[in-house]
Amino acid sequence: NAASSPPTGQTVQLRGEGASPTFTISTSRLDFGSVKVNALSSPQSVTLSNTSSSPITFGFLAGPTTVSGCSGSIPVGGSCVLSVALRASSLGEQSALLKVFDAALNQQVIELDWTGITGQAIVEGPLAFASFVQVAGTSLSVTGLIRDEGLAALTFGQLSLTNNPPAAITTDSCSNQTISPGTNCSVAITATPTAVSSWYTNLIVPTDSAIGS
């Protein structure tokens, strides 16, 4: 058999041309550090500079961020300051991309990094295990502390008792207040039953913690 001929090759010519970016950004990464869950971070700034030969109008794909500034047309050689803040939606280390583009869809990307943190309410002292055993017609008070064992400040709503008990919150430095991590506020409950009976109640401690209380 005759030897087969090698396949005929094909040549494809490819051309490219390097182009200067139409705009530059002062940084490609923003680290927001620790951000409280469901709260808006402190803003950080990025400078956008028009390096093209015509005015530029910017657009943004913001992800979990809130951006302001750099609106309208930026003249040739001009710059603007973009303010960027973000809202953490969950706990732990997270990242996202902020995309900046012009009308011709030329794009620059800014990496955003942060760690979501929260406060956590822990009830300490006798109140954590309170059991009221007393003679009808007398008063008995039990006190306790509510400590923030989380990494972020903790804001309380209005504390309350369930089931309409023969008791009341008589000391309360927590309701509608904010405490820092590692600090505490105080609560006291005073029971004044008027008859021999069994009762129970729950102390409701509403907070803005992402963990709950």
Side-chain angles (χ1 to χ4, degrees), residues 70-154:
C70 291
S71 59
S73 180
I74 308 302
V76 175
S79 63
C80 61
V81 176
L82 182 69
S83 178
V84 183
L86 61 83
R87 189 176 299 277
S89 60
S90 58
L91 296 171
E93 295 183 357
Q94 299 166 64
S95 62
L97 298 178
L98 169 61
K99 298 180 179 181
V100 184
F101 55 89
D102 61 16
L105 299 184
N106 297 299
Q107 180 176 279
Q108 300 268 14
V109 176
I110 303 170
E111 179 184 352
L112 312 173
D113 297 301
W114 70 95
T115 300
I117 60 173
T118 191
Q120 184 177 11
I122 302 295
V123 179
E124 301 177 335
L127 189 60
F129 309 98
S131 179
F132 292 85
V133 179
Q134 64 194 107
V135 176
T138 63
S139 294
L140 177 64
S141 294
V142 175
T143 61
L145 300 175
I146 304 179
R147 178 176 296 275
D148 181 2
E149 291 290 346
L151 298 174
L154 189 64

Side-chain angles (χ1 to χ4, degrees), residues 41-59:
S41 72
S42 298
Q44 296 197 35
S45 298
V46 180
T47 300
L48 311 182
S49 300
N50 181 0
T51 56
S52 72
S53 58
S54 59
I56 284 182
T57 300
F58 290 109

